[in-house]
């Protein structure tokens, strides 16, 4: 027999930790109002309702809070609480700063070869000034025509070009080759196997069919994660939470400036389990208008055992400094530096990525 926990205390603890992590007010309110409703009832009634599944008939109690109560009464630490406890007792500003200073590079950047605004050399020099040891250049793949995605031919040219630029850059810094390859409707990757195998790091992202139903989107993402070429799952929900900051859009972005977008629907448990099983990283995308994945999914991926990248998806040199936004979000979720692959030296990162296709 396990001893029941106090469900109201657990709900309040969750609300406190959500507030501390600066979560959306509506999410916090759900836990505060459930706690308030339940604290006005006798404990036996709460237990009876939990057993009968009628907690959600009470005003202020929803599916998520009812599940927490049921777990509490069963003597288990609610999953929701467990995921938040990673940040308890941590100074979040210190944790964010520690993460930022541990980063040695950026795994998601664009140049004017696709929809970025600046030449490769300028992106690289800005990265040198930020103290990076590397950036992975991840221009788009052919099917993303609005972003001037690189055909196989142009990507080959880019590889030669990067080799030449690297030769002229300061010692101790290098551009790693890469791609942000589209995850196509069937889950295949939008570039030839031959080219994908030549790249140092492959980020795969969904850019189309974002409203696919959950089963379809999950299949699509799982197939991509299982592909040995893919190393990093880019901005996994595709959501847009805010308008782009002025000047933040690339040439191909202009028509999309004011488009907000809900996260796509997929089985996050299955997707993160696959990332963990195959050693693929989940990207924490630092762009202010993306903030992708949402914090609850970062927590879920962390608990699933995933590693992460904290990347900027920069389309201009100044945006390379946006990593601190991603670090803040990661710190709020309890992500530590040892789970972030771009805290590694370039060689270790490249070996890790190569290990996926070995
Ligand atoms: Zn993208
Ligand atoms: Zn991108």
């Amino acid at each position: 027999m396990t001893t029941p926990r106090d469900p109201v205390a657990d709900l309040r603890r969750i609300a406190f930790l959500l507030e501390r992590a600066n979560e959306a007010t509506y999410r916090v309110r759900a836990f505060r109002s459930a706690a308030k409703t339940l604290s006005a009832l006798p404990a036996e009634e709460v237990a009876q309702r939990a057993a009968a599944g009628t907690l959600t008939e009470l005003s202020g109690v929803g599916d998520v809070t009812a599940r927490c109560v049921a777990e509490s009464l069963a003597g288990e630490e609610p999953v929701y609480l467990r995921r938040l406890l990673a940040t308890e007792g941590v100074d979040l500003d210190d944790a964010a700063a520690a993460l930022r200073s541990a980063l040695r590079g950026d795994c998601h950047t664009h140049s004017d070869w696709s929809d970025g605004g600046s030449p490769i050399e300028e992106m690289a020099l800005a990265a040198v000034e930020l103290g990076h040891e590397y950036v992975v250049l991840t221009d788009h793949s052919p099917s993303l025509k609005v972003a001037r995605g690189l055909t196989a031919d142009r990507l080959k040219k880019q590889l030669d070009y990067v080799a030449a630029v690297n030769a002229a850059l300061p010692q101790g810094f290098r551009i790693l080759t890469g791609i942000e390859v589209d995850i196509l409707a069937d889950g295949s990757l939008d570039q030839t196997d031959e080219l994908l195998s030549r790249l140092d790091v492959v980020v795969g992202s969904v850019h189309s069919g974002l409203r696919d139903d959950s089963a379809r989107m999950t299949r699509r993402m799982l197939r991509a994660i299982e592909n040995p070429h893919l190393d990093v799952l880019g901005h996994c929900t595709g959501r847009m939470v805010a308008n782009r900051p002025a000047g933040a859009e690339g040439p191909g972005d202009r028509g999309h400036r004011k488009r907000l977008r809900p996260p796509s629907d997929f089985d996050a448990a299955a997707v993160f389990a696959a990332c963990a099983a195959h050693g693929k990283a989940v990207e924490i995308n630092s762009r202010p208008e993306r903030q992708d994945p949402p914090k609850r999914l970062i927590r879920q991926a962390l608990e699933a055992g995933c590693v992460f990248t904290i990347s900027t998806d920069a389309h201009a040199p100044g945006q390379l400094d946006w990593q601190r936004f991603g670090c803040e979000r990661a710190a709020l979720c309890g992500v530590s530096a040892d789970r972030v692959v771009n805290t590694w030296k370039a060689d270790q990162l490249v070996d890790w990525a190569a290990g996926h296709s070995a």
Side-chain angles (χ1 to χ4, degrees):
M1 279 295 284
T2 44
T3 326
R5 296 162 59 94
D6 176 352
V8 173
D10 279 346
L11 292 171
R12 287 192 172 129
R13 191 86 202 122
I14 290 170
F16 175 85
L17 290 168
L18 287 173
E19 287 157 356
R20 185 172 186 265
N22 199 20
E23 287 282 355
T25 316
Y26 76 91
R27 205 172 286 285
V28 181
R29 204 182 296 130
F31 290 91
R32 290 252 175 249
S33 38
K36 191 171 170 216
T37 301
L38 297 182
S39 65
L41 297 177
E44 308 79 67
E45 183 180 343
V46 174
Q48 279 160 12
R49 282 183 173 274
T54 61
L55 281 170
T56 52
E57 289 171 5
L58 298 166
S59 91
V61 184
D63 288 336
V64 174
T65 46
R67 198 177 318 129
C68 291
V69 172
E71 289 164 347
S72 252
L73 289 172
E76 301 159 16
E77 191 167 67
V79 171
Y80 211 107
L81 176 58
R82 194 172 72 218
R83 288 181 185 153
L84 286 166
L85 284 171
T87 61
E88 203 184 32
V90 174
D91 183 313
L92 295 171
D93 290 339
D94 285 354
L99 270 179
R100 175 61 193 86
S101 67
L103 295 179
R104 295 173 187 267
D106 195 324
C107 292
H108 188 160
T109 69
H110 296 274
S111 75
D112 61 3
W113 283 59
S114 66
D115 63 346
S118 295
I120 294 170
E121 304 83 314
E122 275 182 40
M123 294 296 286
L125 288 172
V128 170
E129 274 170 33
L130 280 174
H132 283 334
E133 294 170 21
Y134 54 87
V135 283
V136 186
L137 177 62
T138 56
D139 277 317
H140 289 286
S141 65
S143 75
L144 206 59
K145 293 205 167 58
V146 310
R148 301 201 309 125
L150 273 61
T151 59
D153 224 38
R154 287 182 67 220
L155 180 54
K156 273 184 217 153
K157 291 200 175 80
Q158 186 180 66
L159 293 179
D160 293 339
Y161 190 75
V162 167
V165 174
N166 264 335
L169 284 170
Q171 281 280 319
F173 179 88
R174 67 202 242 232
I175 302 166
L176 300 179
T177 60
I179 187 172
E180 181 180 14
V181 67
D182 263 53
I183 296 174
L184 298 171
D186 64 357
S188 62
L189 302 181
D190 181 34
Q191 191 46 274
T192 66
D193 282 334
E194 195 267 321
L195 271 171
L196 290 174
S197 66
R198 281 176 62 188
L199 300 171
D200 291 324
V201 178
V202 172
V203 177
S205 308
V206 172
H207 290 117
S208 60
L210 287 157
R211 302 274 71 80
D212 277 2
D213 67 53
S214 174
R216 192 185 169 90
M217 182 61 92
T218 304
R219 270 199 310 276
R220 182 179 177 188
M221 293 171 83
L222 290 178
R223 185 168 171 214
I225 292 161
E226 287 159 11
N227 187 316
H229 294 304
L230 184 141
D231 303 309
V232 181
L233 180 63
H235 53 66
C236 66
T237 79
R239 73 172 183 172
M240 289 287 177
V241 293
N243 295 334
R244 278 158 219 251
E249 72 277 14
D253 286 347
R254 262 170 215 141
H256 305 276
R257 271 207 74 180
K258 292 202 192 309
R259 201 169 292 166
L260 302 189
R261 198 161 57 203
S264 32
D265 229 353
F266 58 91
D267 179 346
V271 164
F272 295 147
C275 286
H278 295 275
K280 307 298 174 76
V282 174
E283 173 185 274
I284 297 176
N285 188 295
S286 302
R287 294 189 69 83
E289 82 278 18
R290 284 197 182 272
Q291 302 182 25
D292 199 2
K295 292 199 283 294
R296 72 198 146 75
L297 290 185
I298 297 177
R299 291 188 189 102
Q300 189 173 353
L302 184 67
E303 196 179 73
C306 297
V307 290
F308 298 90
T309 65
I310 301 176
S311 294
T312 60
D313 199 353
H315 285 67
Q319 296 175 11
L320 288 166
D321 204 16
W322 286 357
Q323 256 175 341
R324 60 204 153 93
F325 303 137
C327 289
E328 277 164 21
R329 297 168 47 65
L332 293 173
C333 299
V335 175
S336 55
D338 61 347
R339 296 284 284 271
V340 181
V341 301
N342 51 322
T343 62
W344 299 342
K345 288 180 186 296
D347 287 341
Q348 191 182 354
L349 179 73
V350 171
D351 286 350
W352 165 79
H356 294 141
S357 28

